[in-house]
Amino acid sequence: MTKIGTDEWVAQVGERTEAYRGLTAPVRRTWDGIPLGWRFAAAMLLVALLPVATDSSYVVRVGVNAFLFGLLALGLNVVVGYAGLLDLGYIAFYGFGAYTYALLSSDQIGVHLPAELTLIVVVALTAGLGYVLGLPSRRLLGDYLAIVTLFFGQVFVQLAIHLDRLSLPWADGPVNVTGGPNGIVGIDPIRLVGVTFSSVTDYFYLLLVAFVALAVGLHRLTASRTGRAWRALREDPLAAEQMGLPVNRLKLLAFAVGGAVAGFAGAVFAAVQVGVFPQNFETLLLIMIYAAVILGGAGSLPGVAIGAAVIAVFPEVLRTPDYARLIFYGVVLGGLVALLRPWSRLAAVLAGTVVLGFVVRFATAAAWPDAAAVAPGGLVARALGAWVATPPNATTVGNVAFVLLVPAVLAVTRLRGPARTWALPTVLYLAAFVWETRLVAEPSVTRQLVLGAILVVMMTARPQGLLGTPRVEML
Amino acid sequence: MLELAGVSKSFGGLAVIRDLDLHVDDREILSVIGPNGAGKTTLFNLVTGVVAPDAGAIRLDGQDLAGRPAHEIAQAGISRTFQSIRLFLNMTVLENVMAATYAHTGARMWQSVLRTPAARREEAAVRAQAAEHLAFFGTRLQGYRWDQPAYSLSYANRRRLEIARAMATRPRVLLLDEPAAGMNPAETHEITELIARLRDEVGHTIAVIEHDMHVVEGISDRVVALDHGVKIAEGSFDEVAADTRVVEAYLGLRTAERK
């Protein structure tokens, strides 16, 4: 009989732990040695330099957007990532916050409260709304909660559209509350303790401060009594309840905190945009916020923040053909390098693709000397111009190729072994051709496609998200 | 200390617990035995408020618990482990135990965010308590294991962690649902000693559901046998083991007659 409670494994853990190996080992060890707070501070310092480094207000505006996304994603992470409640009505809190700020700071109903007070009112009201919407949701689990909250989100948009002619018993005519489809315009800028936030750069720094405060606050909350209780609730509601955790109250608290964060973000959004419109709060935005949380890794604060930055910045970058090309070919190359082994196979596929390109290019150029396929651009575009095929009616051919590409990609995922190696160059070249003839010129379509493709690849390769930890559901 | 009077529960038309009277006294170890489907786990679920009784009273020190929300029952001083282990799998070992201290701690959200001195003191105290509960199991749940996710633990260690988590709620009565299920003989022996220590050293009042008769024999002050939701025998282990109806319930009528 062994002595009770002894465990050799625990004593020997040092010997069993693997150390980093190879050339990158010192770098990785150093990186691990830097406390999370320092990394965060360094990242935020770099971001804070953005308005200094550029004089383009467009770039700063993208930064503002990224911060709004960041706030929303951090708030949603409390509800989804910590408490594990699938809330599809989250966008309603953002809209409610924005509309509340707009109503209290414009000529719509002739009220101009000081911003300090308005922001407090907005945060309190959205937290209250979270609480109220949480009430019927307490007993709903999983899918049921999702569908009910989705309905809440839709109701908000409908209310925003139709509350421009509200009949009240004491009023003579219909009362215009939300401005209907025209929204509310002419919203006061935020003015805190005598400082007016007038430019986009001002709001950039306001949001930077808010984001840092929220991230630090949530980081502390994660490891606190409340954070542990939320996570326990996510892991096993029944066991949590049996350990004395007031499950329903914790759910409502999570809804309220998430709602308050979204409400604050909405208020700032209303002030930055100087107007609010119903279409600002449609389901697409909700999907984007979810994409940010999922891409970054639900439950991981740095992950969610990075996810939000990626989701906010990517579509903007895709507007410029040259940047879009860098991303497209970068992602494709990166994917090939990550997935194809051994190296000789990777080299064969790449060489095959390049050679195939030149052959097709020369053949098409010889047959139709006048046609040009590649959208204009910088160095990359010129290099590609000598490689991508140039058929006449490039648009039509591109469309056909696009339709062919989808089954081709699906087919490649089904092929195994040498057949895949042989098929890959053709599919890759087809993809490049479709990209150059059709997609580069249409950023509005391409944005969604590329984002979708990135999400699909990402979720297949790393289901837990960029910085998320893989979760174990059952043993 | 814990007292059930005339408790009944049926699911649909099936009566799972029928007019059951039961009591667990202070610092006693009571074993509940019975064949599968006898209603043992339902009994625990009734006491802990997972399901509400159709009739009857459940009292802890005279305070009626029947029909109250499960978390309030837990806060009143009843904690449990589960037959199929239910840990917070993706939380660390230490966090699993610390999470169970929620009910008797009071740090508000804003205090945690601002890290006020009160919140820090409480956090340190909770950590120390959790460490103390884990130390109860020797070196097994020590060292680096504190920061490992619960799912990485071995089966036996998961059972131990569940007991540690239940201890952290500061229970007056501890309900252990098949603590030795799936354990090897050495581990089963250890669980037997452990349950005795829970009573002798920590001072818990304990009710155990167990199938392993060696364990039941080793730990019980008193044994209650259930069959089809009815108490068929009660007394010391030897009395219950010799009871014809118990043998009948386990092995069938003919075996019982032969005895």
Side-chain angles (χ1 to χ4, degrees):
Chain A
M1 185 68 65
T2 52
K3 198 171 151 252
I4 283 182
T6 53
D7 194 319
E8 289 175 14
W9 190 277
V10 171
Q12 297 170 348
V13 64
E15 302 150 40
R16 292 180 202 269
T17 314
E18 266 182 52
Y20 286 132
R21 279 188 208 146
L23 288 174
T24 56
V27 180
R28 289 160 82 181
R29 266 198 300 275
T30 316
W31 176 253
D32 286 350
I34 304 173
L36 187 65
W38 288 31
R39 292 185 214 167
F40 180 63
M44 285 300 114
L45 272 177
L46 272 180
V47 173
L49 291 176
L50 182 73
V52 184
T54 174
D55 49 6
S56 146
S57 72
Y58 162 72
V59 173
V60 181
R61 180 70 216 240
V62 172
V64 165
N65 249 341
F67 273 130
L68 285 173
F69 255 99
L71 289 178
L72 286 171
L74 286 182
L76 184 64
N77 186 47
V78 170
V79 188
V80 177
Y82 291 162
L85 303 162
L86 196 55
D87 177 10
L88 295 183
Y90 186 65
I91 203 74
F93 299 110
Y94 186 50
F96 187 78
Y99 267 90
T100 308
Y101 181 83
L103 283 172
L104 298 178
S105 325
S106 71
D107 294 330
Q108 182 70 15
I109 53 171
V111 176
H112 294 269
L113 292 182
E116 293 92 341
L117 183 59
T118 320
L119 286 177
I120 292 171
V121 169
V122 164
V123 168
L125 279 182
T126 38
L129 183 72
Y131 204 86
V132 171
L133 289 194
L135 282 175
S137 316
R138 280 173 304 173
R139 305 234 168 258
L140 299 170
L141 297 174
D143 312 351
Y144 300 98
L145 178 65
I147 214 74
V148 168
T149 49
L150 182 64
F151 166 78
F152 286 144
Q154 295 306 306
V155 166
F156 173 78
V157 176
Q158 291 306 317
L159 283 179
I161 292 175
H162 294 294
L163 280 190
D164 56 344
R165 33 179 205 282
L166 179 67
S167 304
L168 292 172
W170 59 86
D172 297 331
V175 179
N176 182 353
V177 181
T178 62
N182 299 324
I184 300 172
V185 290
I187 296 170
D188 304 340
I190 291 177
R191 198 181 147 82
L192 292 175
V193 287
V195 184
T196 308
F197 291 82
S198 48
S199 71
V200 181
T201 311
D202 294 345
Y203 282 106
F204 181 87
Y205 285 114
L206 174 69
L207 283 166
L208 176 76
V209 172
F211 180 80
V212 170
L214 182 67
V216 171
L218 287 179
H219 177 72
R220 290 177 168 192
L221 205 56
T222 312
S224 77
R225 173 174 179 257
T226 315
R228 272 193 303 270
W230 276 334
R231 282 178 292 141
L233 165 67
R234 173 194 70 193
E235 292 298 320
D236 192 332
L238 176 68
E241 201 171 23
Q242 298 273 285
M243 295 303 126
L245 273 63
V247 167
N248 285 338
R249 211 186 317 151
L250 286 165
K251 282 186 185 176
L252 292 179
L253 191 63
F255 270 118
V257 171
V261 172
F264 175 81
V268 179
F269 169 74
V272 178
Q273 196 180 243
V274 202
V276 288
F277 310 98
Q279 66 266 29
N280 293 138
F281 310 106
E282 282 181 348
T283 313
L284 180 66
L285 182 61
L286 176 76
I287 296 172
M288 299 292 259
I289 304 167
Y290 262 93
V293 172
I294 294 168
L295 189 75
S300 153
L301 288 178
V304 166
I306 290 172
V310 169
I311 294 289
V313 173
F314 246 63
E316 301 301 328
V317 174
L318 287 175
R319 279 182 207 275
T320 319
D322 268 349
Y323 292 150
R325 283 193 179 102
L326 279 182
I327 291 183
F328 176 75
Y329 293 107
V331 167
V332 171
L333 262 180
L336 289 176
V337 170
L339 295 176
L340 281 187
R341 288 285 184 281
W343 296 104
S344 56
R345 189 158 164 238
L346 175 67
V349 168
L350 289 181
T353 313
V354 171
V355 171
L356 179 71
F358 282 118
V359 170
V360 178
R361 155 80 195 183
F362 279 122
T364 50
W368 303 284
D370 303 333
V374 174
L379 192 66
V380 191
R382 265 177 278 141
L384 285 165
W387 181 67
V388 173
T390 55
N393 291 327
T395 310
T396 320
V397 179
N399 286 342
V400 174
F402 190 8
V403 173
L404 285 177
L405 178 64
V406 176
V409 169
L410 291 178
V412 161
T413 61
R414 302 298 307 155
L415 290 175
R416 289 280 170 272
R420 181 186 277 189
T421 314
W422 281 105
L424 263 176
T426 317
V427 176
L428 288 173
Y429 186 66
L430 194 64
F433 176 71
V434 170
W435 175 262
E436 292 299 336
T437 49
R438 297 299 298 131
L439 296 182
V440 154
E442 315 251 1
S444 56
V445 181
T446 315
R447 289 156 74 175
Q448 317 275 341
L449 279 176
V450 170
L451 213 56
I454 290 175
L455 272 175
V456 168
V457 172
M458 181 74 193
M459 286 303 100
T460 318
R462 248 185 108 76
Q464 71 270 35
L466 273 175
L467 297 183
T469 34
R471 291 192 48 206
V472 176
E473 295 290 345
M474 205 197 286
L475 290 161
Chain B
M1 175 174 262
L2 177 69
E3 196 184 348
L4 282 74
V7 172
S8 297
K9 178 73 193 173
S10 40
F11 294 116
L14 184 71
V16 183
I17 297 285
R18 272 182 283 192
D19 198 23
L20 185 71
D21 297 327
L22 193 79
H23 64 101
V24 189
D25 300 329
D26 196 18
R27 300 192 69 155
E28 181 189 33
I29 299 179
L30 172 79
S31 290
V32 181
I33 63 168
N36 285 323
K40 303 184 297 294
T41 297
T42 303
L43 170 67
F44 274 21
N45 284 343
L46 283 167
V47 173
T48 56
V50 178
V51 290
D54 298 337
I58 300 171
R59 281 187 289 269
L60 181 68
D61 289 332
Q63 178 191 7
D64 196 5
L65 299 180
R68 283 175 60 186
H71 71 270
E72 283 183 21
I73 294 179
Q75 288 166 11
I78 293 186
S79 194
R80 72 177 294 183
T81 64
F82 297 87
Q83 184 180 356
S84 53
I85 308 170
R86 302 185 74 138
L87 287 168
F88 306 131
L89 285 178
N90 295 287
M91 293 167 70
T92 67
V93 167
L94 198 62
E95 279 178 337
N96 263 274
V97 184
M98 288 166 83
T101 62
Y102 186 92
H104 56 82
T105 48
R108 304 261 139 220
M109 218 164 60
W110 63 270
Q111 291 175 317
S112 302
V113 167
L114 296 178
R115 293 222 172 125
T116 59
R120 283 191 209 198
R121 264 198 309 276
E122 185 182 280
E123 189 72 9
V126 163
R127 218 182 146 80
Q129 275 169 37
E132 196 183 311
H133 293 308
L134 289 171
F136 189 73
F137 301 88
T139 60
R140 283 219 171 90
L141 297 171
Q142 294 296 303
Y144 84 105
R145 285 241 168 93
W146 280 7
D147 302 317
Q148 295 289 304
Y151 65 74
S152 70
L153 291 180
S154 73
Y155 182 85
N157 273 340
R158 272 182 237 153
R159 284 228 177 267
R160 294 182 187 110
L161 177 56
E162 231 196 358
I163 296 174
R165 186 180 67 174
M167 289 164 74
T169 65
R170 295 194 182 157
R172 318 213 36 211
V173 180
L174 191 55
L175 309 180
L176 305 175
D177 198 343
E178 297 204 26
M183 300 275 206
N184 69 28
E187 288 161 349
T188 305
H189 181 84
E190 190 186 315
I191 277 286
T192 314
E193 294 189 11
L194 208 92
I195 293 172
R197 277 180 57 210
L198 276 173
R199 192 257 311 267
D200 300 340
E201 291 175 20
V202 193
H204 282 310
T205 301
I206 300 168
V208 189
I209 293 177
E210 189 49 66
H211 278 304
D212 189 318
M213 286 305 145
H214 296 296
V215 177
V216 175
E217 185 176 8
I219 59 173
S220 310
D221 296 321
R222 198 152 54 84
V223 179
V224 165
L226 292 185
D227 190 28
H228 298 299
V230 177
K231 185 159 72 177
I232 54 173
E234 182 171 2
S236 71
F237 178 80
D238 294 328
E239 287 163 19
V240 172
D243 191 290
T244 340
R245 281 190 296 170
V246 175
V247 181
E248 184 188 314
Y250 269 95
L251 302 171
L253 189 56
R254 250 187 272 155
T255 323
E257 277 167 356
R258 227 180 291 145
K259 274 205 160 180

